[in-house]
Amino acid sequence: MTFESIKLEVSEDLAILTLNQPSSRNGLTVVLQKEMLAALEQLGTQDAVRALILTGAGRSFCSGGDLGELDNRRGSGVSVGESVAKMMAEISNPLILALQNLPMPIVSAVNGAAAGAGISLALAADIVVAARSAFFLTPFLPRLGIVPDLGTTWFLPQRVGRARAMGLMLLGDRLPAEKAAEWGLIWSCVDDGALMEEARKIAGQLAKAPAHSALEARRALDAAGNQGLAAQLDYEKERQRYLLDLPSFKEGAQAFFEKREPIFKK
């Protein structure tokens, strides 16, 4: 498949999806979002691909929604709000869910600004690594009077707690990558020149794990955030009931006793 707004590279067991509209700071146009959805659908059918890196071309990771496109929606016969809500229901929200449901681990390599919905795009990954010059920005409420979207209001408090999430949402201050790492919003902050090397290193490590690892981790943490301890203990018991009987556990246990690295089938 040929893409205009993104670039998808697959090499052996690793895929790199690059938002490739640097002139617009990789804004989330409808075309770019549709192409991402198509790329994720394509990756979901490729069993040989064991990990994905998500990054941006140029100096920004993603600048969020394209305000120019929003302005073009005026005069279409419906309000801007109605038009955008329809687009979100059909394209934007399914994109975030597609990332969360992708059957492989995702590493976000945040190479520059992650602003607006660009934060959600970054945080939808399993592990986020940011360049030292990168920053996170939520301008929705203080500058536009609209609520953070594409899951920002879900991801932020989960990562940094309500107090810091509220401050980020209401003040709209830049959160530098180093502080984002200190707060636990992201996994790590590295020098700009080392970003992709670190992302590849992490993705390579994740690719060696059992294929279902990322989905199991996401679902376990989601369950923990929505129920009490007793229910979570029961959830863990039921997952172990299933997972302990898979070939991956047998290989892992055998490798442990043989003092070697496990080799999981693709």
Side-chain angles (χ1 to χ4, degrees), residues 16 20 33 36 41 44 50 57 67 69 81 90 93 121 136 177-178 182 202 204 208 221 225 237 239 253:
I16 301 177
N20 195 30
Q33 292 180 74
M36 283 193 71
E41 183 178 358
R50 300 291 294 267
L67 294 182
E69 278 196 344
E90 295 176 352
N93 293 349
L121 204 60
F136 300 83
E178 286 190 72
E182 291 174 9
I202 292 172
K208 295 177 181 178
L221 292 178
K237 176 200 68 178
R239 293 318 298 151

Side-chain angles (χ1 to χ4, degrees), residues 82-94:
E82 288 291 343
S83 177
V84 171
K86 183 175 185 293
M87 183 268 291
M88 290 175 67
E90 295 176 352
I91 303 172
S92 303
N93 293 349

Side-chain angles (χ1 to χ4, degrees), residues 1-223:
M1 183 178 295
T2 302
F3 298 112
E4 297 178 1
S5 300
I6 66 170
K7 182 166 59 175
L8 180 63
E9 305 167 272
V10 178
S11 177
E12 298 180 351
D13 59 359
L14 175 64
I16 301 177
L17 196 164
T18 305
L19 280 62
N20 195 30
Q21 293 288 291
S23 61
S24 64
R25 298 180 297 164
N26 301 317
L28 291 175
T29 63
V30 169
V31 170
L32 186 145
Q33 292 180 74
K34 286 182 175 179
E35 290 189 353
M36 283 193 71
L37 276 168
L40 294 174
E41 183 178 358
Q42 178 180 325
L43 288 172
T45 64
Q46 298 184 21
D47 293 339
V49 179
R50 300 291 294 267
L52 169 67
I53 294 175
L54 179 63
T55 192
R59 300 178 62 184
S60 293
F61 174 75
C62 176
S63 60
D66 189 304
L67 294 182
E69 278 196 344
L70 296 186
D71 194 58
N72 292 338
R73 293 175 182 271
R74 300 183 189 280
S76 61
V78 296
S79 71
V80 174
E82 288 291 343
S83 177
V84 171
K86 183 175 185 293
M87 183 268 291
M88 290 175 67
E90 295 176 352
I91 303 172
S92 303
N93 293 349
L95 172 58
I96 298 300
L97 293 175
L99 286 164
Q100 286 283 286
N101 291 324
L102 196 67
M104 65 186 68
I106 308 170
V107 178
S108 279
V110 182
N111 54 298
I119 290 181
S120 291
L121 204 60
L123 298 184
D126 301 301
I127 293 181
V128 184
V129 184
R132 204 166 302 280
S133 65
F135 61 89
F136 300 83
L137 181 68
T138 53
F140 299 91
L141 284 164
R143 299 186 186 179
L144 299 169
I146 59 176
V147 70
D149 56 15
L150 271 67
T152 299
T153 59
W154 192 84
F155 288 120
L156 280 181
Q158 275 207 336
R159 304 288 181 91
V160 299
R162 180 183 174 92
R164 283 173 169 165
M166 187 68 79
L168 289 170
M169 289 167 54
L170 290 179
L171 297 173
D173 293 342
R174 288 189 180 194
L175 180 65
E178 286 190 72
K179 182 170 284 189
E182 291 174 9
W183 282 10
L185 182 68
I186 63 175
W187 176 250
S188 66
C189 169
V190 299
D191 291 338
D192 289 24
L195 177 65
M196 288 307 295
E197 179 184 353
E198 181 67 11
R200 285 177 180 273
K201 178 182 176 182
I202 292 172
Q205 184 175 343
L206 294 173
K208 295 177 181 178
H212 56 269
S213 297
L215 277 176
E216 288 292 335
R218 293 173 200 149
R219 290 169 180 168
L221 292 178
D222 289 348

